[in-house]
Amino acid sequence: MDRLLFDDEHDLFRASVAAFAARELLPHQERFAAERRIDRAAWRAAGECNCTAGTAA
């Protein structure tokens, strides 16, 4: 079933976020859970790969 709400750009974004999570977050998930936070380095890495979905004006 085709989705009409999203386009190819959204699919590319989803794929890049999934790859980022697999590479940068999943290996550290136990530590993040134990500390009950995601550390600053992970957030910075997310920003560097444009995975935060924010835009700067």
Side-chain angles (χ1 to χ4, degrees), residues 7-18:
D7 59 13
D8 292 340
E9 186 175 322
H10 181 262
D11 291 333
L12 290 171
F13 177 71
R14 289 180 63 206
S16 68
V17 171

Side-chain angles (χ1 to χ4, degrees), residues 3-50:
R3 294 176 296 169
L4 301 176
L5 182 62
F6 302 114
D7 59 13
D8 292 340
E9 186 175 322
H10 181 262
D11 291 333
L12 290 171
F13 177 71
R14 289 180 63 206
S16 68
V17 171
F20 169 79
R23 183 180 66 249
E24 300 287 339
L25 300 178
L26 290 177
H28 306 287
Q29 68 181 346
E30 289 183 19
R31 179 171 55 86
F32 294 155
E35 294 175 357
R36 299 182 65 181
R37 68 182 187 97
I38 297 174
D39 64 26
R40 185 179 306 257
W43 283 109
R44 286 185 189 221
E48 289 174 7
C49 82
N50 297 318

